[in-house]
């Protein structure tokens, strides 16, 4: 690992100023991904700016019934928060579905959003990877891509975004608060993460030096009936093969409104807008759920070895919607 | 905390290790120490403080052999940079017993033969201490049927909550039994 300077930021402004001074610096949250990437030689910052002590480790209720989650909130504290569990159960469930107890105690909300893909070629510096080293090529397209993207990938990159939490936040339409060189601004989800295109090295729309300070979850009354369902290769402590975050508002057998996002299928947490649109006003039946899922997944372009993800995503989505309907 | 000057234009050469003086609190003992910023808590404990209970298994946060408690919460010492922990209270497996009296979990591991080679045991023990505190505080898990309710710590819950600790000998059955005995 390359030697680096360490500085502890007292507040967001000074953290941003520190990165402005030192362009090769990076922010350090819980370190569960970054420290590992530094050890692997994938990341080699000249300075780490520790942002875990800046005063944004609280979950506050906003006036309209939404939540403002500080970027420094640990994943565990988000998942066990009584308001999150009551109002946005799929958010608590998504966090609990990720990593292990020890890692959730360390990882922060901001860092969770900005974690890098677990594509094996990205993490192996002896292999080409357009995300790690632009222009070097993408061995995953012809190589091991069983667990990589089926939607929205490009000739340059077929990586998936690994976060579970981000899938629930994309479904909930979260708003990411960002402090940058030119002041503060907000970025909506979906919209924070970007498709790879010909710049797969850019995971998000954030610019150099931007710091996530909080994540706002707008009030959504029917999110009390929501669920995160994750399929993985073993029962626990594994990344998603496919996952679904869904909230459903059903009255008199008709879908009044819904929010759906898919994980493990794309370079971004994939908001299923086509399926949502198809479902609004339709009967809350397995037939309609399947029709909506098929419409969404018609845009899938699976690779040689991950075609199974298309029916898997459809089945998991349909099952999740049936369960939510039966629970209502 | 002292650190190397990092004024613009006066950066230390990237090849030189950056050393920081700090005070580390481990098992209620305070250690003044100078660490390389790259040093993980696991390496500091094992190589500098001679606390070799926490083990290096994968060194990637995947096996749990390095699990320690930081301010009472279980964490992976291989992913924690020592320089970030100067004002935290760290507890390792060496700090679990009360004098010559083993911690109840240590006693239960012995009684239930909850190990074979023992390499993962310090991590299992520290993780179980943290896990039981989380369950007592009402934290749900991925197998809790209703995240809004109170979880009941049955074997399925214990297995899910301990999934960050691997045992290559496969002593899981007895590990779950030992933890369950203390939980109930």
């Amino acid at each position: 690992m390359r030697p680096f300077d360490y500085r502890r930021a007292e507040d967001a402004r000074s953290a941003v100023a520190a990165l402005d001074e030192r362009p090769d610096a990076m922010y350090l949250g819980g370190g569960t991904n970054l420290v590992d990437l530094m050890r692997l030689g994938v990341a080699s910052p000249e300075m780490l700016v520790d942002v875990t002590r800046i005063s944004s480790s609280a979950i506050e209720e906003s006036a309209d019934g939404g939540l403002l989650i500080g970027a420094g909130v640990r994943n565990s504290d988000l998942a066990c928060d009584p308001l999150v569990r009551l109002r946005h159960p799929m958010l608590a469930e998504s966090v609990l579905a990720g990593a292990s107890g020890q890692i959730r105690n360390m990882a922060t909300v901001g860092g969770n959003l900005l974690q890098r893909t677990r594509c094996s070629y990205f993490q192996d510096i002896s292999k080409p990877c357009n995300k790690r080293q632009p222009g070097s090529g993408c061995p995953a397209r012809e190589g091991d891509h069983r667990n990589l993207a089926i939607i929205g990938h490009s000739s340059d990159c077929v990586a998936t975004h690994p976060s579970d939490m981000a899938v629930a936040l994309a479904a909930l339409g979260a708003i990411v608060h960002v402090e940058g060189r030119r002041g503060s601004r907000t970025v909506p989800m979906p919209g924070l993460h970007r498709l790879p295109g010909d710049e797969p090295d850019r995971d998000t729309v954030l610019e150099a030096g931007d710091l996530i300070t909080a994540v706002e979850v707008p009030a959504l009354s029917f999110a009390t009936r929501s669920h995160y369902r994750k399929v993985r290769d073993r029962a626990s402590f594994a990344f998603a093969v496919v996952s679904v975050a869904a909230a459903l508002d059903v009255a008199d057998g008709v879908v009044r409104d819904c929010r759906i996002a898919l994980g493990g299928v794309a370079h971004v947490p994939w908001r299923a807008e086509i399926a949502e649109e198809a479902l609004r006003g339709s009967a809350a039946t397995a037939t309609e759920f399947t029709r909506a899922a098929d419409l969404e997944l018609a845009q899938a372009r699976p690779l040689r070895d991950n075609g199974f993800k298309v029916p898997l995503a459809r089945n998991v989505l349909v099952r999740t919607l049936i369960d939510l309907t039966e629970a209502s | 905390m002292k650190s190397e000057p990092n004024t613009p234009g006066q950066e230390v050469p990237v090849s030189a290790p950056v050393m920081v003086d700090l005070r580390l609190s481990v098992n209620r003992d305070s250690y003044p120490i100078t660490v390389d910023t790259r040093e993980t808590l696991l390496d500091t404990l094992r190589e500098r403080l001679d606390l070799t209970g926490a083990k290096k298994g994968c060194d990637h946060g995947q096996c749990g052999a390095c699990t320690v408690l930081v301010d009472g919460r279980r964490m992976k010492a291989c992913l924690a940079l020592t320089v970030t922990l100067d004002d935290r209270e760290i507890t390792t497996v060496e700090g679990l017993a009360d004098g010559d009296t083993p911690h109840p979990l240590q006693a239960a591991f012995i009684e239930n033969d909850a190990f074979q080679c023992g390499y993962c045991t310090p991590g299992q023990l520290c993780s179980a201490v943290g896990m039981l505190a989380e369950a007592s505080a009402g934290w749900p898990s991925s197998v809790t049927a209703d995240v809004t309710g109170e979880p009941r710590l049955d074997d399925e819950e214990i297995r899910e909550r301990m999934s960050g600790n691997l045992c290559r000998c496969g002593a899981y059955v007895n590990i779950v039994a030992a933890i369950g005995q203390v939980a109930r």
Side-chain angles (χ1 to χ4, degrees), chain A residues 85-102:
Chain A
R85 288 154 69 185
L86 189 66
R87 293 186 188 166
H88 311 284
M90 70 171 156
L91 178 55
E93 291 169 357
S94 69
V95 174
L96 293 170
S100 68
Q102 293 98 314

Side-chain angles (χ1 to χ4, degrees), chain A residues 34-45:
Chain A
L34 179 56
V35 170
D36 193 38
L37 291 176
M38 289 165 67
R39 186 173 290 137
L40 293 168
V42 175
S44 46

Side-chain angles (χ1 to χ4, degrees), chain B residues 115-177:
Chain B
F115 37 71
Q116 184 174 316
C117 83
Y119 195 81
C120 73
T121 310
Q124 300 278 1
L125 285 165
C126 286
S127 185
V129 171
M131 183 276 280
L132 290 178
E134 293 164 8
S136 295
W139 292 15
S141 86
S142 189
V143 299
T144 307
D146 177 3
V147 291
T148 62
E150 283 288 311
R152 202 179 65 82
L153 210 54
D154 57 18
D155 285 359
E156 189 191 13
E157 284 276 2
I158 291 172
R159 285 178 180 278
E160 162 59 24
R161 290 164 190 261
M162 292 296 292
S163 71
N165 292 83
L166 305 187
C167 170
R168 294 299 298 272
C169 302
Y172 296 111
V173 173
N174 293 356
I175 292 170
V176 172

Side-chain angles (χ1 to χ4, degrees), chain B residues 55-72:
Chain B
K55 297 292 187 283
K56 185 174 284 191
C58 69
D59 215 20
H60 289 290
Q62 296 172 2
C63 77
C66 67
T67 304
V68 298
L69 300 161
V70 178
D71 290 342

